[in-house]
């Protein structure tokens, strides 16, 4: 039997608010999605003026990061598993519309376990990354020192 941590709405709201603040600082109009460990949406917001495609893309990024336990941009880097020479080339075609292999999705890892994912869409890669990392850092602050949250962009579990 294993005890597990579960991401809940309170934590998701903290992450969304931090992400929106970081998006304003980065001058990006973002859609931000937080999913649980099964890839199901807990919270989703599109900033005023954000692209209408942003929410669906953010959901796909969060789903991918949570389900595959790695930052989405790691899939298509040179030599990455979804690159043309990688072991998972074409993986995004297996779940059309749900699997994203570009920048902006990050697994939420607490105490070594993937408990969800965050997807950010609307800015360029640098902006999406800054917004996602800010949300992860806010979760660490909210949870305190009893928990360890991975707060870097390159996450692979």
């Amino acid at each position: 039997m294993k005890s597990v941590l579960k991401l809940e709405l309170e934590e998701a709201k903290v992450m969304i608010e931090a992400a929106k603040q970081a998006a304003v600082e980065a001058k990006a109009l973002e859609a931000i999605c937080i999913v649980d460990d099964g890839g199901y949406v807990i919270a989703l917001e599109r900033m005023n003026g954000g692209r209408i495609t942003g929410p669906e893309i953010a959901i796909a990024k969060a789903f991918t990061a949570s389900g595959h336990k790695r930052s989405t941009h790691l899939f298509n880097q040179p030599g990455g598993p979804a690159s043309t020479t990688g072991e998972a080339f074409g993986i995004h075609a297996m779940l059309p519309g749900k699997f994203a292999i570009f920048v902006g999705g990050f697994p939420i890892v607490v105490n070594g376990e993937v408990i969800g994912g965050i997807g950010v869409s609307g800015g360029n890669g640098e902006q999406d990354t800054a917004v996602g990392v800010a949300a992860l850092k806010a979760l660490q602050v909210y949870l305190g020192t009893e928990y360890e949250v991975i707060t870097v962009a390159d996450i692979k579990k």
Side-chain angles (χ1 to χ4, degrees):
M1 189 74 57
K2 180 179 181 180
S3 296
V4 296
L5 298 171
K6 287 289 186 183
L7 192 62
E8 294 186 319
L9 183 58
E10 292 74 20
E11 292 88 15
K13 285 180 176 181
V14 166
M15 295 180 75
I16 294 270
E17 289 307 312
K20 289 190 312 186
Q21 182 178 351
V24 168
E25 292 169 10
K27 296 180 177 31
L29 299 173
E30 301 279 16
I32 304 126
C33 180
I34 309 293
V35 300
D36 64 17
D37 59 340
Y40 290 97
V41 175
I42 298 173
L44 171 67
E45 282 197 38
R46 175 171 54 110
M47 295 174 69
N48 291 337
R51 296 182 184 127
I52 60 170
T53 55
E56 289 298 323
I57 296 169
I59 291 168
K61 290 177 180 184
F63 172 86
T64 303
S66 177
H68 234 67
K69 302 181 179 185
R70 72 173 66 196
S71 300
T72 55
H73 66 274
L74 297 178
F75 281 96
N76 65 9
Q77 290 182 340
S83 66
T84 56
T85 59
E87 62 194 27
F89 175 69
I91 193 169
H92 58 287
M94 295 299 299
L95 294 167
K98 292 192 71 139
F99 207 91
I101 60 169
F102 44 87
V103 68
F106 309 93
I108 301 169
V109 183
V110 179
N111 291 355
E113 297 294 324
V114 177
I115 64 166
I118 178 170
V120 181
S121 178
N124 61 36
E126 186 177 302
Q127 291 165 319
D128 288 357
T129 298
V131 170
V133 168
L136 295 169
K137 288 179 178 179
L139 179 62
Q140 177 66 76
V141 170
Y142 179 77
L143 294 177
T145 57
E146 182 180 340
Y147 299 94
E148 180 184 358
V149 179
I150 295 180
T151 61
V152 296
D154 295 344
I155 302 170
K156 181 180 174 188
K157 282 301 294 172

